Each structure stands twice: as structure tokens, then as C-alpha cells.
Amino acid sequence: MTENVALGKPAWQQHPYYTYLWGAELAVDGNYSEMSYFNGKQCAISAYSKTTAEWRVDLGRLISIHHVFIQYLTNNQPWGMLSRI
């Protein structure tokens, strides 16, 4: 069983899109049932027209990481359907 070591930890992002609505802390709150822009408020979103999208989390200690999983905003479409829209 894997542990989400980022859950609830302090997070930061380089270019947030309206921090008070879609800030970096949403990426580590454990909520991901609503993956849409308009209804969810469960995703960290970066600002438009930026060439980088940097996001960080302070894990609070030195640990060995096996893998990183990033779930991106899908507007509730199944994975793989975004390229067909």
C-alpha cells in the first residue's frame, strides 16, 4: 500500500490562477471527486499565458520517493478523451 506523503502538507505554485479559488493547497487536500473548472474547486490551476507551471510541496522531512502521480484537470472527462474534444 502506498502513502500519500503530500496530503495536507504546505504547497506553493509559481503562477496561481486566482489563489483564493484555485490555490496550491487544493492539490494536497485529498479531494479529487470533482475535476472540473467551474464546479470543483478541487484543483490547483495555473494562470494563463505562462511558459512554466511550477508547483511545490513541503513534505516536512527527508524521504525516499518511489513515484509521483499528478492528476490534471479533466473537466470530468475520462482520461484520454481530452485529445478528442
Side-chain angles (χ1 to χ4, degrees):
M1 181 173 184
T2 59
E3 174 189 3
N4 182 352
V5 295
L7 187 63
K9 299 294 192 295
W12 170 89
Q13 69 188 89
Q14 181 181 25
H15 300 291
Y17 180 73
Y18 296 114
T19 303
Y20 65 96
L21 291 176
W22 297 285
E25 71 281 353
L26 294 177
V28 293
D29 68 359
N31 297 320
Y32 53 89
S33 61
E34 179 63 46
M35 301 302 289
S36 71
Y37 172 82
F38 295 106
N39 301 319
K41 308 297 188 281
Q42 293 184 3
C43 297
I45 300 176
S46 294
Y48 291 118
S49 302
K50 301 297 180 185
T51 58
T52 59
E54 184 178 344
W55 178 85
R56 299 177 187 185
V57 61
D58 182 354
L59 300 177
R61 58 191 168 103
L62 183 63
I63 57 174
S64 177
I65 303 292
H66 181 268
H67 68 274
V68 175
F69 177 77
I70 298 173
Q71 172 73 47
Y72 60 89
L73 182 71
T74 65
N75 287 322
N76 294 323
Q77 295 293 317
W79 280 78
M81 293 299 292
L82 295 176
S83 61
R84 299 180 198 148
I85 295 176

